[in-house]
Short mmCIF file of all heavy atoms in Angstrom, two decimals:
data_model
loop_
_atom_site.label_atom_id
_atom_site.label_comp_id
_atom_site.label_asym_id
_atom_site.label_seq_id
_atom_site.Cartn_x
_atom_site.Cartn_y
_atom_site.Cartn_z
N MET L 1 11.74 19.08 -0.02
CA MET L 1 12.70 18.13 -0.47
C MET L 1 12.18 16.76 -0.03
O MET L 1 11.57 16.64 0.97
CB MET L 1 13.95 18.37 0.29
CG MET L 1 15.07 17.29 -0.08
SD MET L 1 16.59 17.59 0.80
CE MET L 1 17.10 19.13 -0.01
N ARG L 2 12.29 15.74 -0.97
CA ARG L 2 11.86 14.41 -0.73
C ARG L 2 12.59 13.79 0.41
O ARG L 2 13.83 13.90 0.45
CB ARG L 2 11.87 13.49 -1.98
CG ARG L 2 11.48 12.12 -1.77
CD ARG L 2 11.66 11.36 -2.96
NE ARG L 2 13.13 11.20 -3.35
CZ ARG L 2 13.93 10.44 -2.79
NH1 ARG L 2 13.58 9.59 -1.77
NH2 ARG L 2 15.18 10.38 -3.15
N ARG L 3 11.87 13.21 1.40
CA ARG L 3 12.62 12.50 2.49
C ARG L 3 12.60 11.01 2.23
O ARG L 3 11.41 10.48 2.00
CB ARG L 3 11.87 12.82 3.81
CG ARG L 3 12.65 12.17 5.10
CD ARG L 3 11.67 12.34 6.24
NE ARG L 3 12.33 11.66 7.40
CZ ARG L 3 13.08 12.24 8.30
NH1 ARG L 3 13.37 13.57 8.16
NH2 ARG L 3 13.61 11.57 9.35
N LEU L 259 7.50 9.97 1.72
CA LEU L 259 8.27 10.99 1.03
C LEU L 259 8.32 12.28 1.74
O LEU L 259 8.83 13.18 1.21
CB LEU L 259 7.80 11.02 -0.40
CG LEU L 259 7.84 9.83 -1.29
CD1 LEU L 259 7.24 10.05 -2.57
CD2 LEU L 259 9.33 9.38 -1.48
N GLY L 260 7.74 12.26 3.02
CA GLY L 260 7.87 13.49 3.78
C GLY L 260 6.77 14.49 3.56
O GLY L 260 6.91 15.65 3.78
N LEU L 261 5.60 14.04 3.02
CA LEU L 261 4.54 14.95 2.74
C LEU L 261 3.31 14.86 3.58
O LEU L 261 3.28 13.85 4.41
CB LEU L 261 4.18 14.83 1.26
CG LEU L 261 5.29 14.94 0.14
CD1 LEU L 261 4.83 14.48 -1.25
CD2 LEU L 261 5.91 16.33 0.23
#
Side-chain angles (χ1 to χ4, degrees):
M1 178 180 293
R2 179 183 62 79
R3 182 187 177 98
L259 296 174
L261 304 175

